[in-house]
Amino acid sequence: MSATFQSFKSLRLDRVGRDFGRHNALKEIDFSIERGEFVALLGPSGCGKSTALNCIAGLLPTTRGSIWLDETRIDVLGPEERGFGMVFQNYALFPHMTIRDNVGFGLRMRGVARAEAGKRVESALATVRLTDQADKLPGQLSGGQQQRVAIARAIVIEPPLVLMDEPLSNLDAKLRLEMRQEIRRIHAGLGSITLYVTHDQDEAMSLADRIVVMRAGEVRQIGTPEDLYERPLHLDVADFMGYRNRIPCRVLTRSGGMASIDVAGAQLEGSIRGTLVGDEAVAAIRPDDLCVADVGLDAVVEACEYRGHNFFGSARGPGGVELFFRSPKRVDFGTAVKLAAEPAKVLLYDGAAT
Amino acid sequence: MSDTARNHHLPLKMRLSAAGFDGVTLLVLPAILLLVGFFVYPFFYGLWLSFHPKDGSVFGNYKTFFSDPFLYETISKTLWLSIPVTILNMATAVPIALRVRLMKNQRLLTTILVLPITLGTVLVAEGMLNYLGPQGWFNRTLITFGLISAPLKLVHNYTGVFLSLVITGFPFTFLLVLSYLTGIDPTLEKAAATLGAGPISRFRHILLPLLVPGLAVTFCLGFVQAFSVFPSAVLLGAPSGPTRVITIAAYEAAFEQYDYSLASAIAMIMGVVLLAIIGAVLAARSLFYRGPAGGGKG
Amino acid sequence: MPMNAQKSVLGTLGSRAWITTVWAVTIFFVINLLALIATVMTSSFGTRWLGTWLPAGWTVNWYASAWEEFQLGDLLTTTFEVVFAVVFLAGLIGIPAAYALARREFTGKRIVMLLFLLPLLVPPVTYGIPLATVLYKTGLGGTMSGVILANLVPALPFVILVMVPFVEQIDPRVEDAARVFGANTFRLFVHVLLPLLLPGALAALLLVLVRTIAMFELTFLTAGPDSQTLVVALYYAVFAAGVRAIQSIDAMAVVYMLTTLVWLLVALRFVNPTQMVTRAKRP
C-alpha cells in the first residue's frame, strides 16, 4: 500500500471537520503540506490539534471534508491502510515485545522479508542510537530511550508522513532539548512530511518549517515561525506567541499601516494588524520590547527579577492594567517609571474581538 | 525477652520496629488470628482427621474413596461438568468483552450481568426449574416457533446443571475479562493500526499476548467455581446419577453418614484436584509475558 | 486501489457478521436471564399456572402463606442479624488490618497477604466441611455465632483486599501533615483518616453485605434450625418441592431477591458492577 505513496508530493486537508456528539471539535480545517516539510500544529489543550492528527492518522473518522495524498483520497482508508508512521504521547510501545520486535512490527505487518526487515530495523535503531538496547523489553528503558524506540518504530516503515502527538511532553526539560535536535535530524534524513502536535510554542518554533496555530477547532494562522513571531494575525495568536502585554486603548489617528493610540492619557505609536475597524483597540507588546524610557506609559513597579543579561518586571500601568517589561537595570518596588516600545513592536488589534 | 533485649543494647521495641513491627502493624493481628483459627486450623485439623478414619488405618479413607466407583467417579463427573463449562464461558466471554469494551455506556449491561452473581446459585436453580421446565416459557417459545414438537428435557439432568453454571459463570467470566481488557492501554492497538496491523493481527499480536495472563487467572477462578458446584447440582441435576459431583459426596459423608473423617478426606481430594489444574494453567501462563499492559511511562 | 477496495468490503462484511453474532449471543443470554427472573415473579403472583403462557389469575396470597409457612419474619431477622454482624466485624477487624498492611512493610507480609487471599480462592465447600467439623466439635456448630464466624472467613479477607489498594492511594503525607499540625492519634483518626477511608470502606462493606446474604455454602454447612438464613431456607424449600405449593416457594424466592437487590442497588451507587467480581478476585 505504502509503495504507491512513495513518490507523493503533498498532503492536503480539504475542509476537514469532526464532531463529538453535538460538540464541534474540528470545524473546517484547510491546509496542505509539501513533501519534506516539518509542520507543527500548535494550540492550547482542547483546541482540536490532536483531533486533527488522529483524523489524518485514521484513528478517528472525519465527520466532514476529505484528506488527500496527491490525488488519492485517504480519509476513507483504515489506519492500517494509510501507511503513516505515528509517535504517540505515551509512546505506546508493545510491552511484551523486545525493542527489536517493536521496531520491526510494521515491517512484519507489511510482509517484508525477514533479512530485509532485519537490516532496516538495525538501521532504524542505529538512527536513534539504540543498537545496544535491541533485546530489552520497553519496561527496562528510560523515558527518553522509549521515546526514541517509538520514533524508530514509526520511521522504519519509511512512511510518507510521520505524525507526532506531543512526543516530548513526558520528558524532563534537558532531555526535551536533546530530543528536539534528534527529531529535526531524523526528519532531515527521511525527506518525508513530519506533522508535529504540540502546545509548546517554543518547541514548535525551534522544530518546524511552518506552524499551524489552532484555537477552538479552527486554524487561526499558518506561517513560518518568523511570521508568527513577528506578525501574528490575531490577538489570540499574539497571546500564544508570547505577547503578554494586552493594553486596551483608543485609536487617535491612522496613516497607512500605522496608528497612534491613547492609553489613559499617554500616547503610543503602533502597527495595525488584521482588521481594525473601530476606535477601540488592544495593543499587544512582548515584555522584551517594552522598556523603561523617558516618555511612555506611566507605571508603578510591582516586581522585578533578574533573568541573566536583563531584568524583567511587572508594573501597574494606566487604568490599572498590568504591564510586563524589560529593563537593563534593577528597578525597585514602588518606583514610578515610563514604559515605551518601538512602533513596529506595538501590534494593534480590533478591541471588540478577542 | 527483656534480658535478650538488654544484651543487644537495644530495647525490644526498637528492634521490632526495625523489622517493621510497631503499634500500627499490630492492627493486622486480630484478622490473622481469626483466619488462623477458622481457616488454617480447620484445614490442618481436616487433614489430620482424614488420616484417622473410623476403621483406624492411616489411608483408610483414601482407599475407600478410590475403590468405590460411587465415590471416585465423582471426580470425573465434576471435571466433565466444570471443564467444558469453563471453556464455553471463556470462549463466549472474550469476544463479547472485546465488543463491549468499545461501548461508551457499559453500565446497563454490566448491571444486568451482575444479577445472577449476586442472586446466587440457589435462586438461579429455583428460577430455572420453572423457566426451563416442560411447561416453562423457554420450551413454550420453542414450540410456538415450531422449532421443536415436544418439550426439551432441560432440568434434572446434566444439561440443567450445565446451564446453571453458564448462567452464573458466564457473567463472572465476562466481567473479569472485561476488567482485564480495559487494563490494556488502548493506544497500543492504535499504534499497531498505524503500523499496518488489521483487526485480526491486532488481536493476535497485541491484545491476546497481553491478555493471556488475565485469561489464565480468569480460567482458574471460573473453574474453581464450576468445580465446587453444589446447590444447582442437587436441585437441577440428577444428584445420584450424572451430576453426582464431588461436593455432594463430601456433603453426604459429613451430614448424612456423619463420617467427618471421610468428608475431610474428600475435601482434601477436592483441594488436590483443584490445585493440580490451577497449577497446570498457571505454569502454562508463566511461558507468556507477565509485566504491565501499559504502553510506557507516563 | 480496486484490489484494496474489494478487500475492505469483504472485511466489513465479515466484521459485520461477527459483530451481529456477538450481539445476538449477548442479547439471547440477557433475555433468558431476565425471563428466568420474570418467571419467578410471575409465578409468585399467579393463582393457577398450568400449561399456559400466563397464570389463570393474579393474587398476592402466596406471600401471606409463604410468610406463615416459612416463618419469613424469623428468617429475615436471622438473616439480617447474621449479615450485619458479619459486616460489622469484618469492618472492625478488616479496615485496621488493611490500614496496617497498606502502610507498613514488615517481615512475613507476603505470607500474611497469601493468608488473606486463600479464603477467596478456595471454594467455600472445600474449607466449609472441615470448618463445620471444627465448629461442631467446639459446640459452635448450628449456632448463630458459628454461622457468623464461618461467614467472616471469606468476608474479612474481602474487606482487607478491597481496602489495601484504597488506603495505598491515600497520600501518607496527609497524615504526616495532620501530625505536624498537632493532631494526636485519636484526632488524626477521627478528623483525617475516617473521612478519607469512608468511601472505600462503604463500598467494601456493602459488597460484603451483598455477598453474605447470598452466601449459601458456608451457612448451609454450619447453620442449625434456628440459625438458617433466607438463602438456606430457600434451598431446603426447593429441595423438598412438592411438600409446598410452588408459588409459595416462588414468593419466598422473590422476598429473597428483593433483600439482595435492594442492597445491590445501594452498593452500585458506590461501586462499578465490574468490581463485584474483580477487586478481590484479581490477585
Side-chain angles (χ1 to χ4, degrees):
Chain A
M1 203 56 217
S2 62
T4 53
F5 296 150
Q6 285 303 317
S7 53
F8 79 103
K9 291 195 189 64
S10 71
L11 173 85
R12 185 159 58 84
L13 272 71
D14 186 11
R15 281 177 291 168
V16 170
R18 165 76 201 184
D19 301 339
F20 290 107
R22 252 189 271 157
H23 173 59
N24 231 207
L26 218 51
K27 278 161 194 158
E28 288 206 334
I29 304 296
D30 257 321
F31 61 80
S32 63
I33 307 175
E34 301 301 313
R35 182 174 185 162
E37 269 193 302
F38 194 122
V39 172
L41 280 180
L42 175 67
S45 62
C47 71
K49 56 190 193 297
S50 287
T51 309
L53 194 77
N54 281 320
C55 286
I56 296 170
L59 297 172
L60 269 180
T62 54
T63 319
R64 292 174 294 278
S66 50
I67 305 173
W68 302 79
L69 204 59
D70 289 345
E71 295 312 310
T72 313
R73 185 168 175 180
I74 59 157
D75 59 295
V76 290
L77 301 176
E80 65 271 21
E81 296 167 310
R82 297 190 190 188
F84 298 162
M86 182 150 175
V87 180
F88 291 82
Q89 186 171 11
N90 68 352
Y91 322 141
L93 300 182
F94 307 130
H96 57 299
M97 295 184 193
T98 61
I99 301 309
R100 183 176 278 115
D101 290 344
N102 261 284
V103 175
F105 187 80
L107 299 173
R108 195 168 151 205
M109 290 300 116
R110 281 168 176 66
V112 175
R114 194 173 281 256
E116 156 84 1
K119 240 183 280 166
R120 281 166 71 177
V121 167
E122 290 311 317
S123 118
L125 283 172
T127 308
V128 297
R129 300 180 185 131
L130 280 176
T131 309
D132 48 338
Q133 313 283 340
D135 294 312
K136 290 188 178 166
L137 288 174
Q140 298 167 289
L141 265 53
S142 71
Q145 289 172 324
Q146 293 191 20
Q147 178 61 91
R148 301 217 296 270
V149 177
I151 293 173
R153 189 177 66 176
I155 60 168
V156 76
I157 55 176
E158 291 169 11
L161 182 59
V162 180
L163 304 164
M164 299 197 181
D165 188 1
E166 309 220 12
L168 304 185
S169 59
N170 286 338
L171 301 179
D172 63 50
K174 184 170 168 288
L175 213 49
R176 259 209 298 273
L177 289 178
E178 283 174 27
M179 282 306 294
R180 275 191 207 171
Q181 305 291 321
E182 292 268 301
I183 288 174
R184 195 59 230 192
R185 180 177 61 81
I186 291 164
H187 168 78
L190 274 178
S192 55
I193 291 175
T194 301
L195 189 57
Y196 187 102
V197 161
T198 178
H199 63 264
D200 181 345
Q201 48 109 358
D202 201 39
E203 207 169 281
M205 298 224 285
S206 74
L207 278 170
D209 301 318
R210 277 198 303 154
I211 299 176
V212 177
V213 181
M214 293 186 62
R215 186 168 169 273
E218 282 178 292
V219 172
R220 297 294 281 170
Q221 187 171 357
I222 303 178
T224 62
E226 297 89 322
D227 263 345
L228 290 165
Y229 194 75
E230 305 289 343
R231 291 173 290 278
L233 281 178
H234 305 280
L235 187 56
D236 54 307
V237 179
D239 190 37
F240 209 74
M241 300 308 294
Y243 287 76
R244 279 183 83 189
N245 292 302
R246 298 166 54 155
I247 310 159
C249 57
R250 173 169 284 283
V251 178
L252 300 173
T253 58
R254 333 167 174 232
S255 58
M258 309 298 281
S260 68
I261 53 165
D262 169 274
V263 184
Q267 290 190 8
L268 281 179
E269 297 284 311
S271 355
I272 296 171
R273 289 282 173 261
T275 49
L276 178 51
V277 190
D279 285 346
E280 298 295 320
V282 174
I285 311 169
R286 214 185 281 282
D288 252 344
D289 300 326
L290 190 64
C291 295
V292 178
D294 296 331
V295 282
L297 308 175
D298 287 307
V300 179
V301 176
E302 292 191 329
C304 184
E305 61 183 51
Y306 182 60
R307 283 196 215 147
H309 291 298
N310 279 301
F311 290 87
F312 282 83
S314 67
R316 193 59 61 184
V321 65
E322 193 175 20
L323 297 173
F324 303 94
F325 65 95
R326 179 170 63 90
S327 162
K329 292 182 305 193
R330 180 176 290 282
V331 272
D332 291 324
F333 174 83
T335 317
V337 290
K338 287 185 187 301
L339 299 173
E342 281 177 50
K345 308 281 187 185
V346 179
L347 310 185
L348 301 176
Y349 296 93
D350 200 336
T354 38
Chain B
M1 279 300 269
S2 61
D3 277 349
T4 25
R6 231 171 278 134
N7 289 345
H8 286 80
H9 303 289
L10 267 175
L12 176 67
K13 198 176 162 185
M14 285 183 72
R15 279 191 299 124
L16 277 178
S17 77
F21 295 101
D22 63 2
V24 172
T25 325
L26 290 181
L27 293 175
V28 81
L29 213 54
I32 293 178
L33 289 178
L34 193 127
L35 283 177
V36 167
F38 295 97
F39 183 74
V40 178
Y41 170 70
F43 171 78
F44 284 106
Y45 177 75
L47 189 64
W48 177 84
L49 197 62
S50 74
F51 290 109
H52 292 79
K54 284 175 174 170
D55 64 13
S57 64
V58 176
F59 293 104
N61 283 325
Y62 295 92
K63 274 186 199 137
T64 312
F65 186 89
F66 287 106
S67 57
D68 184 353
F70 199 55
L71 288 175
Y72 70 72
E73 274 178 4
T74 57
I75 295 184
S76 55
K77 279 174 184 167
T78 316
L79 289 176
W80 179 236
L81 255 177
S82 51
I83 289 181
V85 161
T86 313
I87 291 173
L88 176 76
N89 285 341
M90 296 277 290
T92 40
V94 173
I96 293 177
L98 280 170
R99 298 297 329 164
V100 170
R101 157 186 79 121
L102 307 173
M103 277 168 65
K104 274 224 185 75
N105 201 353
Q106 310 169 346
R107 197 155 170 127
L108 179 66
L109 183 64
T110 48
T111 306
I112 292 176
L113 289 182
V114 95
L115 285 180
I117 300 174
T118 21
L119 291 176
T121 41
V122 178
L123 188 109
V124 168
E126 210 282 326
M128 280 176 66
L129 282 173
N130 285 343
Y131 179 63
L132 296 179
Q135 300 285 332
W137 281 343
F138 189 80
N139 270 314
R140 191 163 282 281
T141 308
L142 292 186
I143 291 170
T144 307
F145 283 106
L147 293 168
I148 50 170
S149 51
L152 296 173
K153 189 165 163 38
L154 296 171
V155 290
H156 296 305
N157 56 12
Y158 177 86
T159 320
V161 186
F162 190 95
L163 290 177
S164 87
L165 287 174
V166 171
I167 289 206
T168 47
F170 165 74
F172 177 82
T173 314
F174 167 81
L175 291 175
L176 264 180
V177 173
L178 185 64
S179 88
Y180 278 113
L181 265 177
T182 44
I184 296 176
D185 183 354
T187 50
L188 292 181
E189 265 192 286
K190 291 184 184 172
T194 62
L195 291 166
I200 294 169
S201 295
R202 293 202 290 271
F203 178 74
R204 227 191 84 198
H205 297 294
I206 310 299
L207 273 183
L208 191 61
L210 292 173
L211 200 56
V212 161
L215 290 183
V217 173
T218 309
F219 182 91
C220 289
L221 293 172
F223 172 74
V224 164
Q225 291 202 340
F227 189 81
S228 61
V229 57
F230 180 68
S232 55
V234 176
L235 301 179
L236 280 171
S240 51
T243 73
R244 189 181 148 80
V245 291
I246 193 162
T247 49
I248 295 181
Y251 173 77
E252 282 177 0
F255 295 96
E256 284 174 14
Q257 299 155 20
Y258 298 103
D259 187 346
Y260 291 114
S261 176
L262 178 62
S264 296
I266 299 176
M268 295 301 142
I269 292 168
M270 256 183 95
V272 169
V273 175
L274 278 175
L275 270 181
I277 295 207
I278 290 175
V281 172
L282 293 185
R285 171 181 92 149
S286 67
L287 300 175
F288 287 84
Y289 166 82
R290 290 174 61 184
K297 298 184 175 177
Chain C
M1 285 313 290
M3 268 271 293
N4 220 294
Q6 203 176 17
K7 201 180 90 190
S8 63
V9 166
L10 276 177
T12 3
L13 271 182
S15 69
R16 281 271 165 78
W18 174 242
I19 292 169
T20 316
T21 315
V22 164
W23 285 123
V25 172
T26 313
I27 291 167
F28 179 75
F29 184 88
V30 168
I31 286 178
N32 278 291
L33 175 62
L34 296 178
L36 188 152
I37 295 171
T39 304
V40 180
M41 297 256 190
T42 315
S43 166
S44 74
F45 288 108
T47 48
R48 212 181 106 86
W49 192 6
L50 279 172
T52 48
W53 280 101
L54 288 172
W58 304 98
T59 174
V60 291
N61 289 343
W62 297 114
Y63 285 86
S65 68
W67 198 273
E68 287 282 309
E69 276 180 77
F70 300 111
Q71 290 158 319
L72 284 184
D74 293 347
L75 273 178
L76 280 170
T77 317
T78 316
T79 305
F80 281 110
E81 275 169 8
V82 167
V83 167
F84 284 122
V86 168
V87 168
F88 175 76
L89 289 172
L92 187 72
I93 305 173
I95 294 170
Y99 179 78
L101 286 170
R103 285 287 187 257
R104 292 290 185 274
E105 288 302 323
F106 53 89
T107 28
K109 186 172 163 183
R110 286 178 63 96
I111 294 173
V112 174
M113 287 307 276
L114 184 68
L115 174 69
F116 292 140
L117 196 61
L118 277 178
L120 295 171
L121 298 180
V122 180
V125 187
T126 319
Y127 64 81
I129 287 175
L131 175 58
T133 313
V134 169
L135 288 177
Y136 276 107
K137 281 254 145 101
T138 53
L140 285 168
T143 68
M144 188 90 106
S145 321
V147 174
I148 293 169
L149 282 169
N151 274 294
L152 267 175
V153 171
L156 182 61
F158 185 87
V159 169
I160 292 173
L161 292 186
V162 172
M163 287 303 287
V164 167
F166 187 83
V167 178
E168 275 170 351
Q169 54 90 36
I170 299 175
D171 192 340
R173 280 171 298 187
V174 174
E175 290 159 47
D176 295 344
R179 287 250 185 240
V180 170
F181 288 118
N184 60 28
T185 307
F186 176 74
R187 286 180 147 190
L188 177 76
F189 181 75
V190 172
H191 294 294
V192 181
L193 275 180
L194 204 59
L196 287 174
L197 290 176
L198 206 59
L202 200 64
L205 295 181
L206 278 168
L207 290 176
V208 163
L209 199 154
V210 175
R211 288 167 62 102
T212 311
I213 297 180
M215 169 50 81
F216 169 75
E217 285 89 347
L218 287 176
T219 316
F220 175 69
L221 293 174
T222 55
D226 303 329
S227 49
Q228 267 179 27
T229 61
L230 202 47
V231 67
V232 174
L234 180 65
Y235 171 85
Y236 281 121
V238 182
F239 186 70
V243 180
R244 315 217 189 263
I246 189 100
Q247 288 97 326
S248 188
I249 300 172
D250 285 327
M252 181 185 186
V254 171
V255 171
Y256 164 75
M257 259 199 284
L258 290 179
T259 51
T260 321
L261 292 185
V262 166
W263 290 106
L264 176 68
L265 284 181
V266 176
L268 287 182
R269 292 187 66 87
F270 300 96
V271 296
N272 194 305
T274 340
Q275 287 168 340
M276 300 286 295
V277 296
T278 49
R279 277 272 193 90
K281 291 269 179 169
R282 204 163 129 185

